[in-house]
Amino acid sequence: MDKVVTLGEILVEIVSSTVGDGFRETVPMTGPYPSGAPAIFIDQVAKLGQPCGIIGAVGADDFGWVNLDRLRRDGVDVAAVCVVAGRPTGSAFVRYAPDGSRRFVFNIADSAAGQLSLTSPALQLLDEAAYLHVSGASLFSASVVAVAREAVDRVKANGGLVSFDPNLRAELITEPAFMTAMRELLASSDIALPSREELTPLTGAATPVDAAHRILALGPDIVVVKDGSRGATYYDGTRTLPMDALKVTEVDPTGAGDCFDAAFVTCLVQGASVEDSLAYACAAGARAVTLRGPMEGTSTFAQLDELRTRSRRRAAPEARATLPPLPVTPGGGTTAVCSAHPLVVEAAMREALGRDGSVLIEATCNQVNQYGGYSGMLPSDFVDFVHAIAGRCGFPVERICLGGDHLGPSPWRHLPAAQAMAEAESMVAAFAEAGFHKLHLDASMGCAGEPTYIPGPLAAERAARLAAVAESAPPGQRGPVCYVIGTEVPTPGGAEHRLAGVELTTAARVQQTLEEHRAAFEAAGVARAYDAVVAVVAQPGVEFDDRRVNVYDPGAAVALRGALSGHPGFSFEIHSTDYQPAGSLDALVRDGFRLLKVGPALTYALRQALYGLDRIAGALQPEWAERALLAEVERAMLANPRHWQAHYRGPAAEQAWLRHFSLSDRVRYYWSEPALVAKVDELFALVEGGGCPEPLVREFLPTLAERAAAGQLRLQPRELVLQVVEDVLRTYAQAGLGAS
Ligand code: ATP
Ligand code: MG
């Protein structure tokens, strides 16, 4: 009883070699390809060396033989496949439409495939089954449904297990009998293997997590949700295990799900761990899409191992073996914390500590550079600064990744290019030597006498010069470095103008950026540095200005999402993700926009918490004039308007509220002024003595009210402020889990 068995349609697939809308014209076709979801599944099981067999029916024709020959060759027991006289083998004609969807002409229900029955060889096979796999695609007629039910009952009675892939076909969803059979089989299965897009029609749930739990509640012990190029997630009620897809070039997606199912079930039967089973399943799905034809992409373990190491190596080839690992959050994203406020940095470390994670802290070129930038810090000072905070809050230094942002001529763009680039080179050297791990090379801004943005190839050439400097920094002094390229972003420091609609990066632009940089890096003799490029900056439609947020629209970013599919090892880096709702952050990560930078939203949250505390102090102590901190901030901003004046140009009254409450949060430039540092210390000291009474937390820091009431927070000022910032970071850490 160690066989994996399946039942259902065995078909040939005949594929149009041109893209278009259906078949109402003469088109060139290729085929016949062996096909049918159960047949693909079982062929994949056989290729993994597992004893297996299929119950099915073909006609006495070449379309039948082409299938039987293939299945036999690959090791499938076909003794339970009937050769039906007088019926042709089932077939499916397929043509890809321009939007990637498929148009079919089927001949299945009236073909031999519709004649499925449990003959004595079929019953014998079922009695040898450790697993029976059923595909929802097979439930196309009442008689096949009856056969499937009987088979399931028999295998379960024998102590075997059942795996079920709904493989929902759009045209069957509206048939109540079909959906009933579908739900019944789902409920009697032990492993459910749905695709993400099937979850809502199957369960009515709005999120994958919710849907998975609803399915678990029906009966299955395991649910694995397949999500195409975004990988798959395993759920068993106690554990959620997301697995990234391998980076491959998709040629033909048909069969990926069946190969995935087969590899997952086979690995479990063979005693592999859930992690390994999932990894092999993802590899089987990934390899399947690289080959044209539904069954042509079934794989042996050797082929899967090869793909797994190659793809790991491509993501981290020799030159990349030493790349700094960027922190990955539980949701699969990477959060780049762009702030030099010590409390924000501390909040980031505390949030990461809470989940055993790492942090990525970034400094931008105007803020930190070889002259100190506006923060007064050299790159090495920034490293010391971050490490000192880590020391204070017990965060392991080896879990800190440091990034330099927009490293290029931008701070010196009033100078002629030659001079500005010389400055940029010494800046990059200083970042590299200080041990920064991730360098965003951005030479897109024009210098004196040049247009605001210079042409791509020239920007790439300048970026290559900067890469060459980073690569030649004395290795003793620098750690491993990775790079980010590309620049479809506002100038460092945020959008200078009010939003007027956001222009999305086009897929073509991404290709061009990659190609330009590859060529430029090669020409500059630093091809090695191109191998260390981990991300390309893109604009998927997220932005904010002083008063509005452009929320991510997944539909608009569909083309962009696919732009890196042929570029293993590259991610998208997204700037200005501040203030996106949790659901949008989640969608961004799930859509492959994984590296998310956030800055102003963190200092905004900090400011909000400090102003809340300011009012708490006013309520607690008459001698603390309410809003004393706000008044001090106002003084500092008026005394030195250079960080906000160019940004808030309206009437005086409007400028006044924008100074404090604008989403651009220009206040962040002022917190390090001694008078403000002293005022915040004074505020903390004042509240610290007696702590914050809970009603005041409820009144002035309302997002913390529940936790304060539940006794989950120490009602101390610093603690409360850190919590508010941590809350924002937690939303980022969870983005991608589908929980929002
Ligand atoms: P089918 O169309 O065969 O029914 P499905 O919807 O059941 O497919 P998918 O989610 O498309 O299944 O693919 C199954 C698995 O194969 C995915 O979870 C993923 O691991 C892998 N896979 C699919 N497409 C790709 C891709 N483009 N790149 C990498 N891996 C992929
Ligand atoms: Mg499927």
Side-chain angles (χ1 to χ4, degrees):
M1 248 195 55
D2 65 340
K3 281 196 177 165
V4 174
V5 173
T6 189
L7 56 82
E9 69 282 13
I10 297 172
L11 312 173
V12 288
E13 193 161 305
I14 297 163
V15 190
S16 164
S17 34
T18 61
V19 170
D21 196 26
F23 293 100
R24 297 178 70 158
E25 56 185 331
T26 304
V27 291
M29 310 284 296
T30 53
Y33 291 108
S35 187
I40 300 165
F41 171 91
I42 210 66
D43 192 69
Q44 175 59 83
V45 173
K47 283 229 179 141
L48 296 177
Q50 180 65 29
C52 62
I54 183 168
I55 299 165
V58 295
D61 53 28
D62 284 350
F63 286 177
W65 308 133
V66 77
N67 270 296
L68 290 180
D69 289 349
R70 171 68 65 87
L71 293 173
R72 240 186 240 121
R73 183 200 79 186
D74 289 343
V76 180
D77 176 351
V78 293
V81 177
C82 292
V83 178
V84 178
R87 298 267 182 170
T89 299
S91 57
F93 294 79
V94 188
R95 191 175 189 200
Y96 283 90
D99 66 359
S101 63
R102 290 173 283 186
R103 304 282 180 273
F104 289 99
V105 173
F106 288 119
N107 165 35
I108 300 177
D110 295 325
S111 75
Q115 305 297 305
L116 193 71
S117 65
L118 293 184
T119 56
S120 66
L123 294 174
Q124 193 185 326
L125 191 58
L126 288 173
D127 291 342
E128 294 165 359
Y131 264 96
L132 173 66
H133 179 77
V134 181
S135 163
S138 310
L139 308 178
F140 53 81
S141 75
S143 71
V144 181
V145 170
V147 169
R149 279 191 184 129
E150 193 183 334
V152 165
D153 291 346
R154 188 168 182 117
V155 168
K156 288 181 81 109
N158 287 338
L161 298 173
V162 174
S163 57
F164 181 66
D165 179 344
N167 260 328
L168 270 188
R169 272 171 39 193
E171 64 276 20
L172 293 178
I173 290 180
T174 48
E175 287 189 25
F178 167 75
M179 287 308 277
T180 308
M182 176 70 77
R183 295 218 170 83
E184 229 180 81
L185 277 161
L186 190 59
S188 45
S189 65
D190 301 280
I191 301 180
L193 298 154
S195 302
R196 186 169 186 202
E197 63 271 16
E198 292 164 351
L199 295 176
T200 307
L202 275 178
T203 68
T207 68
V209 180
D210 191 17
H213 285 96
R214 285 190 199 188
I215 296 175
L216 287 171
L218 289 177
D221 295 325
I222 292 175
V223 176
V224 184
V225 177
K226 294 169 281 177
D227 198 5
S229 60
R230 281 168 286 187
T233 307
Y234 163 97
Y235 303 85
D236 63 14
T238 57
R239 210 146 65 109
T240 298
L241 190 66
M243 178 84 53
D244 275 346
L246 297 179
K247 306 268 187 302
V248 295
T249 304
E250 181 173 305
V251 174
D252 179 358
T254 309
D258 307 313
C259 291
F260 180 102
D261 299 347
F264 186 73
V265 169
T266 303
C267 286
L268 286 186
V269 171
Q270 297 182 355
S273 67
V274 164
E275 286 83 356
D276 275 349
S277 305
L278 197 55
Y280 275 116
C282 283
R287 190 163 179 281
V289 305
T290 62
L291 295 159
R292 175 176 294 280
M295 201 187 281
E296 311 311 302
T298 55
S299 313
T300 61
F301 272 120
Q303 286 165 328
L304 296 182
D305 284 332
E306 199 262 340
L307 177 65
R308 286 179 65 189
T309 31
R310 176 152 50 91
S311 139
R312 224 176 293 152
R313 226 181 317 129
R314 274 217 260 163
E318 255 68 305
R320 301 184 155 221
T322 54
L323 284 192
L326 297 182
V328 177
T329 60
T334 295
T335 313
V337 174
C338 305
S339 173
H341 196 295
L343 287 171
V344 170
V345 174
E346 183 174 345
M349 289 177 182
R350 283 173 35 138
E351 187 280 319
L353 267 182
R355 56 175 166 85
D356 258 351
S358 309
V359 292
L360 169 59
I361 313 277
E362 305 216 343
T364 199
C365 60
N366 290 313
Q367 176 195 11
V368 170
N369 59 42
Q370 73 273 36
Y371 300 111
Y374 69 73
S375 68
M377 285 191 263
L378 306 175
S380 56
D381 296 333
F382 188 80
V383 175
D384 294 343
F385 159 80
V386 173
H387 285 190
I389 297 171
R392 278 205 299 280
C393 61
F395 192 83
V397 168
E398 60 284 0
R399 287 207 248 142
I400 299 173
C401 196
L402 294 170
D405 200 15
H406 292 290
L407 304 184
S410 172
W412 302 279
R413 61 183 187 272
H414 56 282
L415 300 174
Q419 269 169 278
M421 276 300 292
E423 295 289 3
E425 287 178 352
S426 53
M427 173 169 63
V428 167
F431 272 88
E433 284 167 22
F436 276 70
H437 308 88
K438 168 175 172 284
L439 306 179
H440 171 210
L441 304 176
D442 179 5
S444 58
M445 287 92 184
C447 302
E450 294 178 334
T452 315
Y453 289 96
I454 56 173
L458 180 59
E461 186 191 310
R462 289 181 184 173
R465 273 173 61 185
L466 299 176
V469 170
E471 291 288 305
S472 62
Q477 292 177 36
R478 68 173 170 91
V481 178
C482 65
Y483 301 96
V484 175
I485 58 171
T487 192
E488 299 255 318
V489 288
T491 52
E496 270 172 14
H497 305 291
R498 300 270 300 277
L499 279 182
V502 179
E503 217 174 297
L504 271 68
T505 308
T506 60
R509 181 65 211 144
V510 173
Q511 303 293 349
Q512 213 177 329
T513 299
L514 293 175
E515 188 42 43
E516 284 164 0
H517 281 77
R518 195 193 50 71
F521 279 48
E522 258 167 36
V526 285
R528 203 160 43 108
Y530 187 74
D531 285 336
V533 174
V534 294
V536 53
V537 176
Q539 172 53 276
V542 302
E543 188 50 277
F544 64 96
D545 66 6
D546 50 24
R547 62 192 81 198
R548 275 178 312 130
V549 180
N550 238 67
V551 171
Y552 176 57
D553 169 8
V558 168
L560 175 58
R561 271 165 50 182
L564 291 181
S565 58
H567 299 276
F570 286 88
S571 297
F572 282 115
E573 173 166 300
I574 311 303
H575 293 211
S576 307
T577 66
D578 307 70
Y579 310 107
Q580 292 291 315
S584 301
L585 293 175
D586 188 61
L588 279 165
V589 171
R590 301 218 44 122
D591 287 352
F593 301 115
R594 294 196 174 185
L595 232 157
L596 304 180
K597 296 180 75 106
V598 56
L602 299 172
T603 40
Y604 177 96
L606 172 80
R607 196 268 316 140
Q608 213 175 14
L610 287 171
Y611 279 12
L613 214 54
D614 197 15
R615 301 182 66 188
I616 290 176
L620 284 174
Q621 300 265 351
E623 61 269 30
W624 182 272
E626 184 169 313
R627 300 176 187 251
L629 176 64
L630 183 145
E632 193 65 49
V633 171
E634 178 74 351
R635 260 194 297 282
M637 293 186 91
L638 290 177
N640 174 14
R642 78 184 172 105
H643 294 301
W644 59 268
Q645 213 161 37
H647 296 261
Y648 310 143
R649 292 174 190 275
E654 185 180 293
Q655 289 185 6
W657 68 258
L658 281 170
R659 271 198 295 281
H660 298 274
F661 307 111
S662 144
L663 302 187
S664 335
D665 187 49
R666 311 297 300 177
V667 188
R668 69 182 189 276
Y669 294 95
Y670 296 86
W671 290 120
S672 59
E673 291 197 3
L676 283 181
V677 173
K679 201 74 192 171
V680 171
D681 284 346
E682 201 187 326
L683 174 61
F684 282 178
L686 188 148
V687 182
E688 229 148 48
C692 279
E694 195 203 307
L696 294 184
V697 173
R698 188 180 290 274
E699 178 70 19
F700 297 117
L701 297 169
T703 59
L704 302 181
E706 276 184 25
R707 280 168 283 170
Q712 293 163 351
L713 296 177
R714 285 197 305 124
L715 302 184
Q716 289 299 330
R718 226 168 160 275
E719 187 73 17
L720 297 173
V721 169
L722 287 168
Q723 273 300 329
V724 170
V725 181
E726 272 181 66
D727 283 347
V728 181
L729 288 160
R730 253 190 293 277
T731 313
Y732 277 82
Q734 279 163 17
L737 287 179
S740 43

